[in-house]
Amino acid sequence: SRGKAGWGIVTRNSEGKLISTWAIPQKCPSEPTVEEELAIQMALMKAKQKGWKEIKIRSDCKNVVGKLQENSAEIVYCTTILKDIIKLKNEFDVCIFSFTRRIDNVVSHTLANFAMSLITVVTWERNFPTWLNTLTKEDMIEQLLRIL
């Protein structure tokens, strides 16, 4: 997968069930942090296109989430992408950025790896492949077990 990157964008309802997913291949990848910023920017654009008003963005990139939680586009060292994300964030009634460990982000990470094998974007809504449903169910069970 050298020279490639992939984004896995997963949307779920408040119960954790899948709503839609995007596997987006990138042929000319940047640094991992920049790729994460671009993926978050794309997720916000997808949510805006869907007309959603309240969203929560989970990322396993602590650095990016920390900058977004500061919520300041005035930061001198803030990238143009981060400034765009903050502007997009302000178009939602509620938009929360939270850090999640990679182990808790398996569905998105697996989808991103899958995207690296693609030539074009793959979108699933309502009907998902078995492997994606299985991963999502396992993820939900793991999260419940951690709470208990």
Side-chain angles (χ1 to χ4, degrees), residues 83-134:
K83 288 179 183 179
D84 287 346
I85 290 170
I86 292 167
K87 285 178 189 171
L88 279 167
K89 173 193 176 193
N90 293 329
E91 295 181 26
F92 293 91
D93 293 342
V94 176
C95 180
I96 299 167
F97 298 101
S98 67
F99 171 73
T100 186
R101 300 174 309 164
R102 173 70 56 91
I103 195 168
D104 297 323
N105 207 19
V106 174
V107 179
S108 181
H109 185 68
T110 303
L111 199 57
N113 283 333
F114 171 73
M116 288 193 289
S117 68
L118 301 174
I119 295 169
T120 187
V121 175
V122 171
T123 304
W124 285 294
E125 295 186 33
R126 289 182 290 282
N127 297 311
F128 304 95
T130 303
W131 63 268
L132 196 52
N133 278 322
T134 302

Side-chain angles (χ1 to χ4, degrees), residues 9-14 17-22 40-57 88-96 123-126 128:
I9 299 174
V10 177
T11 61
R12 300 180 190 208
N13 65 16
S14 59
K17 294 182 181 175
L18 290 175
I19 298 172
S20 53
T21 63
W22 293 269
I40 290 171
Q41 181 185 41
M42 178 62 71
L44 285 168
M45 289 189 293
K46 297 284 187 191
K48 186 179 170 187
Q49 288 170 353
K50 294 276 187 186
W52 298 335
K53 300 292 182 194
E54 297 182 9
I55 62 169
K56 182 175 184 178
I57 303 283
L88 279 167
K89 173 193 176 193
N90 293 329
E91 295 181 26
F92 293 91
D93 293 342
V94 176
C95 180
I96 299 167
T123 304
W124 285 294
E125 295 186 33
R126 289 182 290 282
F128 304 95

